[in-house]
Amino acid sequence: GYKGFIHGGIITAILDEALGRIVASIHKVFVVTSDLKMRFHKPLPLGTSVFIEAVMDAKQYEHHRFWLASGTIVDKETGKRYASASGRFFPIPEENYPDILNT
């Protein structure tokens, strides 16, 4: 990114991982991202201490063909929101787990 700021691709990767992890940890499955909607609220300066939050709606705790999750990156000190995302995640079939775990 520009000097002194974190590149949007890095921010996107962080939120994608956080959202996928919340889904995977709740449902105890590996998941892949189907789609991800990003919103950048403000440039994120290098060295900023942030909090990353990922959540699922309680209705999403039931088994579905896919799951929805959302999350944000906010400044730990000021609460200023830098980015937010929402996404849809599909389970990876268990028969594919050996391929995932051996890479």
Side-chain angles (χ1 to χ4, degrees), residues 80-98:
K80 183 188 306 182
R81 184 184 304 183
Y82 292 105
S84 57
S86 60
R88 180 169 47 168
F89 300 84
F90 284 92
I92 297 173
E94 286 188 34
E95 61 266 18
N96 294 340
Y97 285 9

Side-chain angles (χ1 to χ4, degrees), residues 26-37:
I26 288 170
H27 293 287
K28 309 293 188 241
V29 296
F30 289 108
V31 298
V32 292
T33 307
S34 167
D35 52 80
L36 186 71
K37 180 180 177 183

Side-chain angles (χ1 to χ4, degrees), residues 14-31 33 54 56 69 89:
I14 290 168
L15 281 171
D16 179 39
E17 187 68 18
L19 274 55
R21 292 287 175 150
I22 194 69
V23 172
S25 66
I26 288 170
H27 293 287
K28 309 293 188 241
V29 296
F30 289 108
V31 298
T33 307
M56 287 181 63
F89 300 84

Side-chain angles (χ1 to χ4, degrees), residues 8-101:
I10 302 294
I11 294 169
T12 300
I14 290 168
L15 281 171
D16 179 39
E17 187 68 18
L19 274 55
R21 292 287 175 150
I22 194 69
V23 172
S25 66
I26 288 170
H27 293 287
K28 309 293 188 241
V29 296
F30 289 108
V31 298
V32 292
T33 307
S34 167
D35 52 80
L36 186 71
K37 180 180 177 183
M38 282 297 305
R39 178 151 186 228
F40 300 99
H41 303 275
K42 298 180 183 326
L44 177 52
L46 288 171
T48 304
S49 183
V50 297
F51 179 76
I52 300 162
E53 179 181 44
V55 296
M56 287 181 63
D57 184 290
K59 291 181 255 180
Q60 284 288 302
Y61 281 41
E62 300 170 21
H63 182 71
H64 292 275
R65 196 171 74 110
F66 61 86
W67 296 285
L68 304 172
S70 60
T72 58
I73 296 180
V74 298
D75 189 300
K76 275 187 174 180
E77 295 177 16
T78 67
K80 183 188 306 182
R81 184 184 304 183
Y82 292 105
S84 57
S86 60
R88 180 169 47 168
F89 300 84
F90 284 92
I92 297 173
E94 286 188 34
E95 61 266 18
N96 294 340
Y97 285 9
D99 294 334
I100 295 168
L101 297 172

